[in-house]
Amino acid sequence: QKEVEQNSGPLSVPEGAIASLNCTYSDRVSQSFFWYRQYSGKSPELIMSIYSNGDKEDGRFTAQLNKASQYVSLLIRDSQPSDSATYLCAVKNAGNNRKLIWGLGTSLAVNP
Amino acid sequence: DTEVTQTPKHLVMGMTNKKSLKCEQHMGHRAMYWYKQKAKKPPELMFVYSYEKLSINESVPSRFSPECPNSSLLNLHLHALQPEDSALYLCASSQVGAGSYNEQFFGPGTRLTVL
């Protein structure tokens, strides 16, 4: 069974701090990795994609991928109360199908 | 502005009703998806269309019937639903083909309540 695991949280950080969200996956041949942000009652919003080992930065967000250790992380710098949401990790395996394997999400609370 | 739109935003229906959910994408994508999401759970894939052909059906009950009239539109026809089908229904789209990494972009969803 291919799995994606995340700590459910809640992860609580003070405003201005760095929030670190982690995700591990079981299928070694996974090739594409995504972080989605979902506010309560809203749809998931794609905030980061990463495909190669290393870091990818976009504004206050940095995604880190380590295929050897099978983990992907998301760092949010200068966390704001508006970052409070559930963060979903999704992984696409090799192959032609279009299925994503989803983690259960980590709830992040940024406290003013 | 979201480039994947869904209508209606909210829908309440009885178990004997027939209704349809609609999705339109303006991103030029050739893959479209229906997901169902329950509270505090990740999205659960229902159907995938690729180049307007159904490519994945995740063993969804026949009371859900998808349709892809063209590359921009996706419908989900609902009939004889059960109260446990109440959920947020999400449409998504992505590119296909070589070099595509399957980034999926979601619409705002339809909140469905079955009485």
Side-chain angles (χ1 to χ4, degrees), chain A residues 51-64:
Chain A
Y51 315 110
S52 303
N53 276 329
D55 295 359
K56 178 182 177 182
E57 186 174 320
D58 184 0
R60 294 186 297 112
F61 298 100
T62 298
Q64 299 175 317

Side-chain angles (χ1 to χ4, degrees), chain B residues 21-64:
Chain B
L21 308 184
K22 297 184 182 302
C23 174
E24 185 170 10
Q25 57 96 3
H26 305 279
M27 305 178 79
H29 292 163
R30 299 304 298 272
M32 296 186 75
Y33 309 74
W34 280 116
Y35 285 89
K36 171 183 177 180
Q37 188 177 27
K38 292 276 204 176
K40 300 192 183 301
K41 299 288 188 183
E44 178 184 348
L45 184 64
M46 300 174 72
F47 302 104
V48 181
Y49 275 82
S50 183
Y51 294 102
E52 296 90 68
K53 295 190 187 311
L54 183 64
S55 60
I56 296 177
N57 176 341
E58 290 287 279
S59 302
V60 178
S62 60
R63 58 186 184 268
F64 296 91

Side-chain angles (χ1 to χ4, degrees), chain A residues 32-74:
Chain A
S32 305
F33 307 85
F34 308 98
W35 284 100
Y36 286 84
R37 178 177 62 197
Q38 187 170 25
Y39 294 112
S40 181
K42 301 296 185 181
S43 64
E45 175 190 4
L46 180 64
I47 56 172
M48 289 291 283
S49 309
I50 188 166
Y51 315 110
S52 303
N53 276 329
D55 295 359
K56 178 182 177 182
E57 186 174 320
D58 184 0
R60 294 186 297 112
F61 298 100
T62 298
Q64 299 175 317
L65 175 60
N66 184 322
K67 289 188 176 181
S69 301
Q70 296 177 236
Y71 82 79
V72 56
S73 62
L74 179 70

Side-chain angles (χ1 to χ4, degrees), chain B residues 7-8 11 13 18-22 34 65 67 75-78 110:
Chain B
T7 56
L11 179 62
M13 59 186 291
K18 287 185 179 180
K19 297 286 186 183
S20 296
L21 308 184
K22 297 184 182 302
W34 280 116
S65 175
E67 177 194 21
N75 299 322
L76 185 64
H77 304 297
L78 314 173
T110 294

Side-chain angles (χ1 to χ4, degrees), chain A residues 84-102:
Chain A
S84 299
T86 295
Y87 289 81
L88 293 159
C89 174
V91 174
K92 180 186 178 302
N93 298 317
N96 292 325
N97 73 65
R98 309 211 157 273
K99 292 176 63 172
L100 296 179
I101 310 300
W102 295 83

Side-chain angles (χ1 to χ4, degrees), chain B residues 1-6 23-29 32 71-73 93:
Chain B
D1 288 344
T2 180
E3 295 190 72
V4 181
T5 59
Q6 291 186 243
C23 174
E24 185 170 10
Q25 57 96 3
H26 305 279
M27 305 178 79
H29 292 163
M32 296 186 75
S71 61
S72 300
L73 294 174
S93 69

